[in-house]
Amino acid sequence: MAKDMDKKANISFEGQSLEFPIYSPTLGPDVIDISKLYGTGGVFTYDPGFTSTASCESAITFIDGDKGELLYRGYPIDQLAEKSHFLEVCYLLLYGELPTNAELDDFENRVTRHTMLHEQMTNFFRGFRRDAHPMAIICGVQGAMSSFYHDSTDISDPWQREVASIRMIAKLPTVVAWAYKYSIGQPFVYPRNDLDYASNFLRMCFSVPAEDYEVNPILSRAMDRIFTLHADHEQNASTSTVRLAGSSGANPFACIAAGIACLWGPAHGGANEAALSMLREIGTVDQIPEYIRRAKDKSDPFRLMGFGHRVYKNFDPRAKVMKQSADEVLGLLGIENNPTLQVAKELERIALEDDYFIEKKLYPNVDFYSGIILDAMGFPTTMFTPIFALARTVGWIAQWKEMIADENQRIGRPRQLYVGEAHRNYVDAEKR
Ligand code: SDX
């Protein structure tokens, strides 16, 4: 961060004029450091939803919402989606540089050797109803991991932080796959060390003991790309949740469980499940105008799921890659005439020509097309957000490690604008 000592911001009110430093980033807007505002001026700032608030200093991911650009450690997401693969992206996010072949081999070997769960953890799955939402299961199992891996919960020990990080990146695919298997009453399939990360996950989801299973390379490449596209995204709601949980010193397994819980919401990671359900509800292209009308009607709570974003005021670059991948995967699977894909493309075309969406700069986001690919792969809609959580685990961990390593790190503790009752005295029940 560039601390240009000459750049200052002045805030004047009630006869006082306060001066605050301005910091200039590598990319993006300058920030005004108002951390001393309450101490010097006796007032808080007010920014519900944190639209104008930088919560931290980070070197991991950058989004240019106006250009529709996403960089992981400076590398554009479309280049990584085309030329890299998920575990190499994990290495980049965690350690800041693309690995040499030797570094990548070592990293992949360490992840591969941690993909199994403690056998006793199978009991957790069996405690849930069969129709439990997989997000409920993975949130519970993830939090319970801290009770099995006591040798990697001390966050003050860099070695334990590293082991916990590798364990979670390695084990989430197994947890998510087993949540799926449990929901359909099929036996758990154990990971295999001779398969790559995405192929291992697909095999754990779709193979059965009764027959051999060959991973379709088209699907494993598409799965790997979906993981890469979801890996990290600056200080989104779930990442901010992980940082806030981590700021109290909570163990890493608990922090990631908090991130999973936050991601579940339909305004965030739950939107991919909601978007496919919406496309199915629309059903045919001729129904689109009615849904566009509803999305614009303030009295109607309906929103176009998979559209809009707090930061992107242009195309979400991930949606562009996802749309190309949907065309490729469905074409290679011989289902390019998939009615849901046709509705999605026509809905996008109509919305992007509509003044409401143009004026509010609402474009398809990462969740608009991802469900179509996952559905074509054979996943039920309830598995879409767990897959998002699986992929985002590396981003949550990278952001959590960055926060823990920051010597200025303190517990996050926002204040408030109190609008409740002023001081009053207790009234006995008979006098109320
Ligand atoms: C993700 O933060 C991240 O980076 C998240 C994420 C990540 O990788 O971590 O990118 C993943 O969560 C993507 C977003 C998935 N959510 C959805 O697709 C749900 C539908 N989208 C919306 O709910 C909404 O767009 C949000 C939640 C994504 C953004 O909400 P904001 O920034 O608070 O914007 P807003 O709700 O204030 O909307 C601004 C205006 C409003 O109209 P006005 O009140 O100004 O008249 O745009 C309208 C909204 O009504 N609007 C929509 C809309 N999204 C916003 N109108 C119709 N359909 C929509 N989808």
Side-chain angles (χ1 to χ4, degrees), residues 51 63 229-230 232-239 263 265-272 275 294-296 298 302-313 316 318 356-357 359-360 362 365-368 388 392:
T51 307
I63 302 171
L229 293 172
H230 287 83
D232 193 48
H233 214 236
E234 283 191 4
Q235 306 312 315
N236 58 83
S238 54
T239 298
L263 187 75
H268 190 14
N272 52 18
R294 287 185 56 197
K296 293 155 53 174
K298 287 297 168 218
F302 173 77
R303 284 196 165 182
L304 283 187
M305 301 315 283
F307 258 76
H309 199 277
R310 172 63 59 76
V311 180
Y312 289 120
K313 300 311 170 191
D316 180 335
R318 302 168 298 176
Y356 174 91
F357 293 89
E359 176 216 324
K360 295 184 186 300
L362 301 175
N365 59 48
V366 68
D367 294 312
F368 189 65
F388 191 153
R392 184 55 57 87

